[in-house]
């Protein structure tokens, strides 16, 4: 058995090396400024500290030939750093994060984490599935948020380097046992992070279960395209490929209706500075966006609604584009998911400081959390989040970078 594993590992390393060699002939980044093209370094794995119960945490570093680096740790399968060159070729870290485990253990609001079993909110932490009512932690006012007290962001995942067609990849896996955080069924979940030589960070999620359960996975990276610690994102220009949002009550639970964005402060169908109308968003302070957008393809897209079960994933289509006039960096988000939560960092209040001691203040970062709609499990008219035994949950999101 041991010998077999060694052979498999050796085989994988050869594949990774061959993959890198092939990628070395790939054309320079389209839409971006051609960069010097050093060969990517092989994926490295370094110790990143230990959790409070002594479990070791590792950090994996992926690089590409155009100066991009992605660092992902096994605690929460969390993206801690994403280095992207700006229009002058100067590298900068476009996500909030830390270079040690300690600040994550001390508590940060999901910086870069893989969020689950159900990302976003479940009203009053309650749902009924196949006639049985389940009660989950209410960890966000009266509601359940991002998987509960110890969600997928606060557990240590297993990791292994896997071969990738165009770049480098690490696969993170986690077994969430039956009853964990109140959810039914043992869920085997994985997410593969791939950094490609086309300057894309690609996240491929998969999950299977032995009992029907809701599943809604997302990544909770906080982006600032000018760079971590460079202040407000209100000047960054956003387009969201959506004509509607799911309006919410004052605890951020969807009413169940779909609201056309046309003529409202939620309309990002044309590229608009994030700050252009942010003070008019009709929410109690701290003011800002914290809303789920119904992506264009989702409407009439044939996804099965209700609690019967999920359909096969949708096509990978454009969800959003953000351009930063200061640095010239551009990020496109593509996803197979029907929705995206646009969160403008409203609850950052200066108490958390970055690795250089700079406080993260309100609107110093934004999140684009690709997902099924919030509280879907209580809204039969929303695309279903229910995964049943025998089905495979699949979801893909791509963050594609260029400069202008
Ligand atoms: C939620 C926000 C929340 C943030 C961090 C977002 O997904 O929509 O309301 O404050 O996550 O927890």
């Amino acid at each position: 058995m041991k010998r077999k594993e060694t052979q498999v590992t050796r085989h994988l390393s050869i594949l990774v090396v061959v993959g890198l060699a092939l990628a070395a002939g790939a054309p320079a980044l389209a839409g971006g400024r051609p960069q010097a093209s050093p060969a990517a370094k092989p994926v490295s794995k370094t110790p990143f500290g230990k959790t409070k119960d002594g479990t070791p945490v590792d950090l994996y570093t992926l690089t590409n030939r155009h100066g991009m680096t992605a660092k992902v740790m096994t605690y929460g399968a969390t993206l801690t750093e994403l280095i992207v060159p700006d229009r002058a070729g100067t590298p900068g870290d476009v996500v909030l994060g830390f270079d040690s485990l300690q600040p994550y253990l001390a508590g940060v609001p999901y910086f870069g984490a893989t969020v689950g079993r159900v990302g976003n909110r479940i009203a009053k932490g309650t749902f009924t599935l196949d006639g049985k009512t389940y009660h989950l932690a209410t960890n966000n006012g009266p509601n359940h948020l991002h998987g509960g007290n110890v969600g997928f962001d606060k557990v240590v995942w297993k990791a292994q380097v896997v071969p990738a067609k165009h770049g480098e990849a690490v696969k993170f896996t986690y077994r969430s046992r039956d009853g964990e955080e109140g959810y039914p069924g043992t869920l085997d979940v994985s997410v593969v992070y791939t950094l490609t030589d086309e300057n894309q960070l690609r996240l491929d999620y998969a999950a299977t279960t032995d009992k029907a359960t809701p599943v809604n996975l997302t990544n909770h990276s906080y982006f600032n395209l000018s760079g971590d610690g460079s202040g407000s994102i209100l000047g960054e220009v956003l387009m969201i490929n959506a004509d509607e949002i799911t309006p919410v009550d004052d605890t951020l639970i969807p009413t169940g209706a779909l609201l056309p964005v046309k003529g409202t402060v939620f309309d990002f169908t044309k590229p608009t500075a994030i700050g252009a109308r942010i003070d008019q968003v009709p929410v109690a302070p701290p003011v800002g966006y914290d809303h789920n957008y119904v992506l264009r393809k989702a409407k009439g897209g044939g996804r099965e609604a209700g609690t019967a079960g999920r359909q096969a994933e949708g096509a990978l289509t454009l969800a959003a584009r953000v351009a930063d006039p200061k640095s010239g960096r551009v990020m496109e988000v593509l996803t197979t998911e029907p929705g995206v939560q646009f969160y403008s960092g409203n609850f950052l209040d200066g108490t958390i400081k970055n690795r250089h001691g700079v406080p993260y203040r309100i609107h110093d970062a934004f999140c684009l959390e690709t997902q099924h709609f919030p509280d879907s499990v209580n809204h039969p008219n929303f695309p279903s989040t229910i995964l049943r035994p025998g089905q495979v949950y699949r979801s893909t999101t791509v963050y594609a970078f260029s400069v202008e």
Side-chain angles (χ1 to χ4, degrees):
M1 182 64 191
K2 198 157 187 198
R3 180 134 148 245
K4 201 168 163 200
E5 274 168 14
T6 317
Q7 278 172 354
V8 168
T9 316
R10 200 174 302 139
H11 189 55
L12 288 185
S13 327
I14 291 167
L15 283 177
V16 169
V17 170
V18 170
L20 293 177
L22 287 178
L29 161 72
R33 210 182 158 97
Q35 304 288 317
S37 299
K41 295 187 212 112
V43 178
S44 77
K45 172 186 167 186
T46 48
F48 202 58
K50 286 187 175 163
T51 61
K52 284 168 194 160
D53 69 5
T55 309
V57 172
D58 293 318
L59 183 73
Y60 286 79
T61 302
L62 311 175
T63 57
N64 79 359
R65 295 169 56 244
H66 301 295
M68 272 188 73
T69 302
K71 295 188 181 181
V72 193
M73 66 166 166
T74 51
Y75 183 74
T78 297
L79 180 67
T80 65
E81 217 173 298
L82 185 61
I83 306 290
V84 182
D86 67 8
R87 64 161 80 85
T90 309
D93 183 4
V94 299
V95 294
L96 307 196
F98 300 97
D99 47 20
S100 67
L101 183 60
Q102 185 46 40
Y104 294 98
L105 297 180
V108 287
Y110 307 94
F111 283 9
T114 299
V115 165
R117 181 177 303 201
V118 174
N120 217 310
R121 292 173 174 80
I122 294 179
K124 303 198 164 44
T126 297
F127 66 93
T128 300
L129 178 57
D130 296 342
K132 191 166 172 208
T133 299
Y134 295 89
H135 298 284
L136 313 172
T138 48
N139 56 331
N140 185 253
N143 303 318
H144 178 82
L145 178 70
H146 293 336
N149 292 325
V150 186
F152 293 177
D153 60 299
K154 294 184 189 68
V155 297
V156 178
W157 296 54
K158 293 194 172 114
Q160 66 181 121
V161 176
V162 292
K165 267 194 211 137
H166 305 289
E168 299 184 343
V170 179
K171 181 177 188 176
F172 295 84
T173 53
Y174 176 65
R175 170 165 284 188
S176 169
R177 47 185 175 73
D178 188 8
E180 186 173 302
E181 287 295 321
Y183 289 105
T186 295
L187 188 77
D188 281 307
V189 51
S190 65
V191 55
V192 179
Y193 279 76
T194 306
L195 180 63
T196 75
D197 278 315
E198 285 73 47
N199 280 14
Q200 298 186 344
L201 181 67
R202 179 184 171 111
L203 274 55
D204 290 291
Y205 305 85
T208 53
T209 186
D210 63 359
K211 283 185 194 160
T213 179
V215 182
N216 191 23
L217 305 177
T218 192
N219 178 275
H220 209 300
S221 286
Y222 287 66
F223 294 96
N224 184 329
L225 297 187
S226 290
D228 178 354
S230 62
S232 169
I233 48 82
L234 295 183
E236 298 188 16
V237 177
L238 170 68
M239 188 283 295
I240 306 181
N241 194 15
D243 296 310
E244 292 162 317
I245 60 164
T246 49
V248 285
D249 68 15
D250 52 15
T251 71
L252 298 179
I253 293 295
T255 60
L258 302 184
L259 177 78
V261 295
K262 201 174 167 46
T264 75
V265 298
F266 299 107
D267 189 353
F268 283 95
T269 51
K270 294 195 179 60
T272 308
I274 293 174
R277 302 154 304 184
I278 199 166
D279 52 351
Q280 298 161 41
V281 178
V283 290
V287 150
Y289 297 95
D290 198 354
H291 295 83
N292 172 64
Y293 282 73
V294 180
L295 294 174
R296 270 184 181 141
K297 61 163 168 218
K299 230 184 119 186
R303 277 189 165 238
E304 190 178 351
T307 54
R310 296 173 61 102
Q311 279 196 330
E313 73 270 28
L316 187 63
T317 56
L318 185 67
R321 181 181 195 272
V322 190
D324 175 32
K326 279 199 270 174
S327 66
R329 292 190 185 95
V330 175
M331 178 176 76
E332 286 185 343
V333 182
L334 297 98
T335 189
T336 57
E337 286 297 307
V340 65
Q341 181 89 4
F342 169 42
Y343 170 57
S344 54
N346 314 334
F347 298 105
L348 296 173
D349 61 5
T351 48
I352 301 172
K353 297 189 176 59
N354 82 352
R355 63 191 86 186
H356 307 297
V358 181
Y360 292 129
R361 293 157 310 172
I362 185 168
H363 307 150
D364 274 359
F366 65 85
C367 303
L368 287 165
E369 302 153 53
T370 54
Q371 58 173 7
H372 273 50
F373 307 165
D375 199 29
S376 287
V377 75
N378 290 311
H379 291 281
N381 58 321
F382 288 174
S384 174
T385 49
I386 302 303
L387 181 71
R388 293 184 178 276
Q391 296 181 319
V392 181
Y393 168 100
R394 285 190 204 283
S395 174
T396 296
T397 292
V398 172
Y399 307 94
F401 292 88
S402 58
V403 291
E404 62 180 22

